[in-house]
Amino acid sequence: MRISNERVSRLADALLSRLEAEGYLELSGDRKAEVTALDNAITQELMVEDRLNAEVRELMKAYE
């Protein structure tokens, strides 16, 4: 993953803040829990992207 965990956490916090400020989202629970959940979702998606990139690199090696 090219993005550090700290940066992903800040991104999740900023995203929730912006969605809330623009009226797209209303948080009813613990903000920290919501940030953590979004952080985990972003991290999981980045890991999928990393696995896909590794698979593509292996396929490209086969065609060299």
Side-chain angles (χ1 to χ4, degrees):
M1 188 166 68
R2 294 182 206 166
I3 301 174
S4 70
N5 290 336
E6 174 67 27
R7 193 157 197 177
V8 171
S9 294
R10 286 184 294 185
L11 175 65
D13 188 44
L15 181 58
L16 281 178
S17 293
R18 184 156 184 188
L19 289 172
E20 191 173 27
E22 293 185 11
Y24 293 110
L25 183 67
E26 185 177 319
L27 298 177
S28 59
D30 179 31
R31 180 172 179 77
K32 187 174 181 177
E34 300 294 337
V35 170
T36 300
L38 184 55
D39 182 336
N40 289 337
I42 293 169
T43 300
Q44 291 298 318
E45 287 300 315
L46 289 171
M47 288 172 41
V48 168
E49 182 180 340
D50 287 345
R51 286 192 299 270
L52 181 60
N53 285 338
E55 187 176 323
V56 168
R57 277 193 293 280
E58 290 299 318
L59 288 171
M60 294 302 289
K61 283 181 186 177
Y63 289 107
E64 284 183 344

